Amino acid sequence: MTQTDVSNLSLELTDDPETQNAVFLAAFNSGRGDLFDLLYRSDAISNLSGRPLTGAARTEAITKLLATGPKLHSVVRDSVVAGDTSLIIVGFELEVTAEDGTRQRITGRCTDVLVREPDGKWIMAVDRPVAEHTETLGA
């Protein structure tokens, strides 16, 4: 498994959806769940595991998933910012290794809600990926 170089990665989120997407892609593709989890509020809800998780359960699920070396590609489809809340809709393609060792490509759409914290920084409050198609790629 190869990991993305994160030595120069800025985890600074803004209200620009393209910047958000680039930061999330780099952190996710780094393979480091601890790094990716820094983009979430402590009470954020993540559905990356297929079910809504928060707190330590979210962190554990994200770390376990990223340790398998998935590769994510995503494109911003729509976004809206209202005050201190940002809604971003992305189309995604995710390649993962299933428990039986086969590779799968999952495509779908993700709804992300970010909020601006009191210090002015943006952070993930909710992510909700929905798979629309899964394809087996082989071992």
Side-chain angles (χ1 to χ4, degrees), residues 3-4 14 30 33 54 65 83 90 92 94 103 107-109 117 125:
Q3 294 187 336
T4 303
T14 69
S30 75
T54 191
L65 171 65
V90 298
F92 71 86
L94 177 65
R103 295 289 292 167
T107 57
R109 189 166 308 184
E117 295 283 277

Side-chain angles (χ1 to χ4, degrees), residues 110-128:
C110 189
T111 305
D112 294 332
V113 177
L114 293 95
V115 294
R116 189 183 346 245
E117 295 283 277
D119 65 3
K121 293 183 180 178
W122 288 86
I123 194 160
M124 180 73 76
V126 178
D127 74 12
R128 185 176 176 269

Side-chain angles (χ1 to χ4, degrees), residues 19-111:
T19 299
Q20 305 294 35
N21 191 45
V23 170
F24 278 91
L25 282 172
F28 187 97
N29 290 327
S30 75
R32 290 187 45 199
D34 62 324
L35 182 71
F36 187 72
D37 197 55
L38 292 174
L39 301 175
Y40 289 79
R41 292 171 46 109
S42 61
D43 64 348
I45 299 169
S46 173
N47 290 276
L48 286 176
S49 68
R51 59 190 173 112
L53 297 174
T54 191
R58 181 199 68 240
T59 301
E60 182 180 333
I62 286 171
T63 301
K64 183 178 177 182
L65 171 65
L66 295 190
T68 67
K71 290 301 167 203
L72 178 65
H73 305 279
S74 62
V75 176
V76 176
R77 300 286 184 214
D78 200 7
S79 66
V80 178
V81 175
D84 291 339
T85 305
S86 175
L87 172 66
I88 302 173
I89 309 296
V90 298
F92 71 86
E93 179 178 300
L94 177 65
E95 288 191 20
V96 297
T97 302
E99 288 184 16
D100 66 2
T102 60
R103 295 289 292 167
Q104 293 180 330
R105 179 179 298 123
I106 303 166
T107 57
R109 189 166 308 184
C110 189
T111 305

